[in-house]
Amino acid sequence: MGIALLAAVIFLGLTYGPVTLSWQQVGQSLIHPFSSSIPAIIIWDIRLPRLIAAALVGGALGTAGAVMQALFKNPLADPYIVGASAGAGFGAMLLSLLLPASGLMGVGAFLGAITAVFAAYLLARGQGRVHMLTLILAGYALSLVLGALTTFVMLAHQKTLTQVLSWELGGIHGIGWHELLWPSIMIIVALVATWPFAPELNAFYLGEEQAHYLGVNVMRAQTLLLILASLLTAASVYLAGLIGFVGLVIPHIIRRLQGSNHHLLLPLSFFAGAIFLVGADILAEQIPWIGTVPVGLVSDLIGGPYFVYILFKTRVVSG
Amino acid sequence: MSFERLHCENLQYIWPSSTASFGPLTGSFQPGAITALIGPNGAGKSTLLRLLGGYLKPTSGSVYYGDSALLDIAASARANLVTLVSQLMPLGFDLTVAEILNLGKLPSMSWKTRITGDTAPQIGPVLEQLGLSAFHDRSYRSLSGGEQQRTLLGMALVQNTPVLLLDEPTAHLDPGHAQAIIHVLEDLAHVHGKTVIMAYHDLATVGLFADHIWLMQHGQVSLAASPEQVLVSPLLEQVFHTTLQRISHPVSGKMIVLAL
């Protein structure tokens, strides 16, 4: 069902854009991938890689969000909670500054995101056990420092400022097959490795101590899941910049519809995240009177109000 | 079925950043019997349970199951030997009663089950035993304290370990359900030969079912003996700082201790 819906929305996306294509043209072009017709070029070189990137990024962030929320037992946790976004921004800025013409800003963001998460992890580790609350606080402190450094450097270099800001808005416009290859492999490997941990993630709902009595090697499972969620996040950041709210909102929608059991939550968060971001990307490609806008803006506009709703609900429940 | 004996040798725990300490303690727990840990708040009952469950790593000494040091056993293998039913805990996110009971199978889960999550058939008898059959798909958060307590015990029963540790298992239960739970624990110990160890606060009822009582104070065991020996001891008044009256149960003749 998830696969069929995702295929349907991708097919819809292939028809829609600055040049509208008929369903027949899309069908013909998909059957003849090496045709040199204009619809085939639009579909195979422009729209399909972009839509697949949107699906992978949405799915990866939805899954990473579900994992982070279970690890931190926190409904407001998202894939960036331990410093990935600030790390990505810092890495993108650094590469853009040091190698301005290299086009390696995404690589810088990937490395920055991964490095920030592990720096936060090492800071929180201190002596022995890593406490999840300490990890969030360490990630927050690191985010503040990296965010301040990024802003400081960007203010001093106006050109970098424009590049990094436009990257941070989150866009997959113009992505090609060669940019898609390695992040896709990384996302698929991380997803396949994450799904068998559904029982451990369920056990973490009961707390670390109860997970221990259920035979979970708490430290090892937390570290491994943090690595997998960070890989999903960093690969998404590489492809699309900072896409907000998908990782926060999608797992909550699935919990409301299907419950909190990770056996369903993980795959459904992937498909719902993928469908959501492909839908947002279709809208972002052709906003009336404006034209193409970064997909991150559209996802924020839809995700933002729902985030406020969650905040309100949480306040009511805890009050 | 006979199981190995759980015992601890020179078990000591010093809390980080604190002068408070537990132990040193040497002692063993008999399979096929219920051992109740009694003592005032802060006596070390929960600490001992967490040490026995391997959650706290002792500063010195060890807990052994038979000849094997518990901490040397891999996490999933250890969870097939010992588990602990905690006091009520808030859930990060909601799960159904069946989903929580299914977690009891985590230590022995196959890779196929990990992905499909299809483990439903085996929890039926436990649901029935604990009077939870009607709650199969109910959310944990919507249950009363007593129902939540029974659900957590159900998870441990599905886990089916030879050693069962319980932290105040009847604290949130009405007298009827409390008695039903005690009967379940008696069955596990006396019929199935398991080692049942529980922190227990109710002096009025502890003598009715416990086979052994450990009286604890300041992280030490002051007296470990049969209920008949512990409940008549004047140490009981000293440890609890109150005057106690002892009467016999009208049917079983076992001792009931009441605070005056």
Side-chain angles (χ1 to χ4, degrees):
Chain A
M1 168 103 170
I3 296 174
L5 263 175
L6 182 58
V9 76
I10 287 178
F11 196 81
L12 181 70
L14 291 174
T15 66
Y16 191 74
V19 177
T20 304
L21 298 175
S22 70
W23 293 59
Q24 288 84 352
Q25 283 175 307
V26 172
Q28 280 295 321
S29 305
L30 285 176
I31 295 166
H32 302 102
F34 301 108
S35 158
S36 55
S37 69
I38 292 189
I41 291 169
I42 291 176
I43 283 173
W44 282 97
D45 290 351
I46 300 171
R47 291 189 188 169
L48 199 55
R50 198 195 72 232
L51 290 165
I52 289 174
L56 284 172
V57 169
L61 290 177
T63 308
V67 170
M68 289 297 198
Q69 286 167 8
L71 277 182
F72 293 105
K73 271 180 83 177
N74 186 339
L76 299 181
D78 75 356
Y80 308 120
I81 192 165
V82 278
S85 55
F90 185 76
M93 178 274 294
L94 216 56
L95 262 283
S96 168
L97 190 70
L98 299 176
L99 302 164
S102 65
L104 290 175
M105 208 154 60
V107 176
F110 174 84
L111 294 174
I114 287 281
T115 310
V117 171
F118 281 92
Y121 184 81
L122 290 177
L123 281 174
R125 187 167 182 146
Q127 297 163 337
R129 205 176 204 126
V130 173
H131 290 280
M132 290 291 110
L133 180 62
T134 317
L135 184 54
I136 291 182
L137 294 173
Y140 181 68
L142 200 67
S143 295
L144 285 179
V145 174
L146 290 175
L149 283 174
T150 307
T151 309
F152 181 76
V153 176
M154 286 199 306
L155 285 174
H157 297 84
Q158 286 296 316
K159 195 177 164 212
T160 313
L161 174 76
T162 320
Q163 278 180 343
V164 174
L165 272 184
S166 102
W167 171 82
E168 279 192 346
L169 283 172
I172 44 177
H173 192 75
I175 208 157
W177 291 111
H178 62 285
E179 286 114 334
L180 199 53
L181 180 64
W182 283 108
S184 307
I185 292 171
M186 203 178 294
I187 286 172
I188 289 164
V189 167
L191 284 171
V192 170
T194 302
W195 281 338
F197 281 96
E200 275 81 1
L201 288 164
N202 284 345
F204 282 134
Y205 280 171
L206 304 177
E208 290 175 18
E209 183 170 353
Q210 200 60 50
H212 165 90
Y213 299 126
L214 287 166
V216 178
N217 186 328
V218 173
M219 185 83 170
R220 192 184 297 166
Q222 280 176 339
T223 307
L224 195 60
L225 284 163
L226 193 67
I227 290 172
L228 292 171
S230 302
L231 280 177
L232 289 171
T233 308
S236 303
V237 163
Y238 169 82
L239 282 174
L242 297 178
I243 303 282
F245 295 122
V246 178
L248 178 72
V249 173
I250 293 296
H252 282 294
I253 293 174
I254 301 302
R255 278 195 198 92
R256 280 170 185 275
L257 297 176
Q258 284 292 334
S260 300
N261 187 344
H262 286 87
H263 289 297
L264 280 176
L265 182 61
L266 291 179
L268 290 182
S269 290
F270 173 81
F271 282 114
I275 291 164
F276 172 83
L277 208 61
V278 170
D281 181 61
I282 294 171
L283 291 176
E285 268 304 292
Q286 185 69 335
I287 300 274
W289 301 294
I290 301 174
T292 302
V293 297
V295 64
L297 280 184
V298 178
S299 87
D300 286 0
L301 272 175
I302 303 170
Y306 190 75
F307 182 62
V308 172
Y309 169 69
I310 290 171
L311 283 175
F312 176 73
K313 282 286 284 185
T314 311
R315 195 177 58 197
V316 171
V317 170
S318 62
Chain B
M1 187 182 287
S2 66
F3 295 112
E4 301 276 1
R5 180 183 292 258
L6 187 76
H7 64 283
C8 40
E9 278 181 25
N10 295 317
L11 193 64
Q12 188 170 25
Y13 184 75
I14 298 170
W15 291 95
S17 333
S18 166
T19 53
S21 68
F22 173 92
L25 173 68
T26 298
S28 66
F29 300 91
Q30 193 184 321
I34 298 178
T35 303
L37 312 175
I38 62 169
N41 296 340
K45 305 186 291 290
S46 297
T47 304
L48 176 55
L49 289 178
R50 292 164 119 193
L51 285 163
L52 295 174
Y55 183 68
L56 293 180
K57 289 194 171 52
T59 312
S60 60
S62 288
V63 176
Y64 295 91
Y65 180 76
D67 295 327
S68 312
L70 214 57
L71 286 179
D72 293 343
I73 302 173
S76 58
R78 189 198 55 237
N80 282 319
L81 299 175
V82 183
T83 193
L84 187 148
V85 182
S86 304
Q87 294 192 41
L88 287 189
M89 64 191 92
L91 230 59
F93 294 93
D94 214 356
L95 290 172
T96 65
V97 169
E99 285 164 349
I100 290 181
L101 259 64
N102 272 322
L103 279 174
K105 290 182 214 134
L106 205 160
S108 48
M109 224 172 236
S110 68
W111 281 100
K112 182 174 169 258
T113 316
R114 287 180 153 275
I115 294 164
T116 60
D118 179 25
T119 53
Q122 300 160 31
I123 63 172
V126 173
L127 285 168
E128 202 169 319
Q129 190 179 14
L130 296 174
L132 290 169
S133 296
F135 297 93
H136 188 277
D137 292 320
R138 274 276 295 277
S139 92
Y140 177 84
R141 282 178 176 172
S142 73
L143 302 177
S144 71
E147 290 158 354
Q148 290 184 346
Q149 187 79 62
R150 282 186 283 150
T151 302
L152 295 177
L153 176 62
M155 182 171 67
L157 295 189
V158 171
Q159 203 171 334
N160 195 20
T161 52
V163 179
L164 184 61
L165 313 170
L166 305 106
D167 200 351
E168 303 286 2
T170 58
H172 298 271
L173 301 180
D174 59 71
H177 280 117
Q179 199 179 23
I181 294 299
I182 294 298
H183 286 326
V184 169
L185 298 176
E186 284 177 324
D187 182 64
L188 288 174
H190 302 152
V191 178
H192 297 280
K194 301 194 177 208
T195 307
V196 177
I197 304 163
M198 65 169 94
Y200 199 74
H201 72 285
D202 188 5
L203 291 179
T205 54
V206 69
L208 304 179
F209 65 85
D211 300 300
H212 305 281
I213 296 179
W214 286 24
L215 176 62
M216 299 187 66
Q217 186 185 23
H218 306 313
Q220 303 279 348
V221 176
S222 304
L223 183 61
S226 68
E228 293 77 22
Q229 290 167 298
V230 174
L231 296 179
V232 296
S233 166
L235 260 178
L236 217 55
E237 270 89 351
Q238 285 176 34
V239 166
F240 283 98
H241 300 290
T242 187
T243 310
L244 301 168
Q245 183 173 356
R246 292 150 175 94
I247 56 175
S248 291
H249 189 277
V251 178
S252 65
K254 291 183 174 175
M255 190 168 289
I256 294 172
V257 180
L258 300 171
L260 291 179

